[in-house]
């Protein structure tokens, strides 16, 4: 059990943004819980962290087992003040093959909702907390060659808004942050075309951690992506479909 006053759990911590978030929270003095499918990657990351850390292997698409593992990790850490649900996927699938569509939905929707539910219920019982989830600027509009990704990220944004409103109705100091990154240099974006304003993962992690600590409702990562999101949201369909 950690004696640190502030404890953060990162779900999807084995690589990319999640691993950088673990490093950033650890640098800021948090005890960090590391959760993902790859035990080897989690253990390697744990060795890098100077502060206390805990490892829990879980596959959030196996919801019953993952919810139990999440609850166990919270108990092992002696509590939780911050939960960041970073796990997600989404690969180009222009021909709509079912296997990648299902994998994206299972992880980004079903798995996400299961983990958000565990975190939110814990924070309600505790009476406070900070919950954040990784959506995307892509949640704003559809993508013809990758339908499941923006659709599932729109689900994440709307689900987080529902939880935020739930907390406000309860009059509880629970912040719920919808994180909307643009293009971030991670294994998920390697080799993909059309990447611009590509943000290094450590930079994205700093922006994300700042937003979570401030309890922001919606945060574009980095903030300049808010402009792109505003343009995309109001762009006529006749123009957007030709882009």
């Amino acid at each position: 059990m950690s004696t640190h006053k502030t404890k953060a759990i990162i779900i999807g911590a084995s690589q990319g943004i999640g691993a950088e978030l673990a490093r950033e929270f650890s640098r800021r003095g948090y005890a960090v819980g590391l959760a993902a499918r790859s035990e080897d990657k989690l253990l390697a990351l744990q060795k890098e962290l100077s502060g206390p850390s805990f490892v829990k292997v879980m596959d959030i698409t196996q919801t019953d087992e993952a919810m139990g593992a999440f609850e166990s990790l919270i108990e092992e850490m002696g509590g939780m003040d911050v939960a960041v649900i970073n796990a997600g996927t989404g690969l180009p699938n222009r021909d709509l093959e079912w296997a990648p569509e299902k994998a994206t939905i299972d992880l980004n929707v079903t798995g996400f909702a299961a983990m958000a539910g565990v975190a939110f219920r814990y924070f309600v019982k505790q009476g406070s907390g900070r919950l954040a989830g990784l959506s995307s600027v892509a949640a704003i509009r559809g993508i013809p060659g990758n339908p499941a990704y923006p659709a599932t990220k729109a689900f994440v944004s709307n689900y987080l808004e529902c939880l935020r409103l739930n907390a406000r109705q309860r009059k509880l100091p629970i912040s719920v942050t919808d994180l909307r990154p643009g293009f971030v240099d991670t294994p998920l974006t390697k080799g993909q075309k059309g990447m611009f304003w590509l943000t290094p993962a450590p930079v994205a992690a700093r922006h994300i951690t700042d937003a979570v600590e401030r309890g922001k409702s919606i945060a574009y990562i980095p903030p300049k992506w808010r402009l792109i999101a505003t343009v995309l949201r109001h762009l006529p369909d006749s123009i957007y479909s030709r882009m």
Side-chain angles (χ1 to χ4, degrees), residues 12-226:
S14 61
Q15 62 182 0
I17 294 174
E20 293 299 338
L21 283 172
R23 296 181 181 105
E24 185 65 26
F25 275 103
S26 183
R27 277 193 292 268
R28 298 189 188 198
Y30 289 72
V32 181
L34 312 172
R37 290 180 297 180
S38 174
E39 184 175 22
D40 290 345
K41 290 180 180 179
L42 292 178
L43 292 175
L45 174 61
Q46 185 180 38
K47 291 178 181 178
E48 297 180 31
L49 306 181
S50 58
S53 58
F54 300 75
V55 165
K56 183 67 66 173
V57 177
M58 66 170 73
D59 178 352
I60 70 170
T61 65
Q62 305 300 311
T63 52
D64 290 342
E65 293 85 349
M67 287 190 289
F70 191 4
E71 291 167 351
S72 175
L73 178 57
I74 296 170
E75 184 176 354
E76 289 171 19
M77 292 182 65
M80 174 179 69
D81 304 290
V82 175
V84 182
I85 306 171
N86 170 71
T89 189
L91 297 173
N93 188 25
R94 185 175 296 275
D95 295 328
L96 290 182
E97 296 178 10
W98 177 236
E101 293 296 280
K102 184 178 186 301
T104 301
I105 294 166
D106 286 348
L107 183 58
N108 294 5
V109 173
T110 307
F112 170 84
M115 296 301 97
V118 171
F120 190 78
R121 288 190 296 272
Y122 178 81
F123 289 145
V124 167
K125 184 177 180 180
Q126 179 171 263
S128 65
R130 299 190 183 281
L131 170 61
L134 269 288
S135 178
S136 172
V137 171
I140 302 297
R141 301 293 292 263
I143 301 173
N146 190 357
Y149 183 74
T152 57
K153 290 304 184 179
F155 172 89
V156 168
S157 289
N158 280 278
Y159 202 86
L160 290 170
E161 183 176 28
C162 292
L163 297 185
R164 188 182 310 118
L165 295 172
N166 189 321
R168 287 175 181 172
Q169 285 190 345
R170 294 172 186 266
K171 295 181 170 57
L172 289 174
I174 299 171
S175 66
V176 181
T177 304
D178 176 4
L179 300 161
R180 301 179 181 178
F183 298 125
V184 179
D185 189 7
T186 69
L188 190 64
T189 59
K190 292 293 184 186
Q192 294 198 36
K193 298 179 181 179
M195 299 285 147
F196 62 95
W197 285 358
L198 191 64
T199 304
V203 175
R206 289 197 294 273
H207 283 296
I208 287 170
T209 309
D210 287 343
V212 173
E213 289 188 329
R214 292 170 185 165
K216 296 189 70 172
S217 295
I218 299 172
Y220 289 92
I221 310 298
K224 63 184 178 180
W225 276 95
R226 180 178 294 275

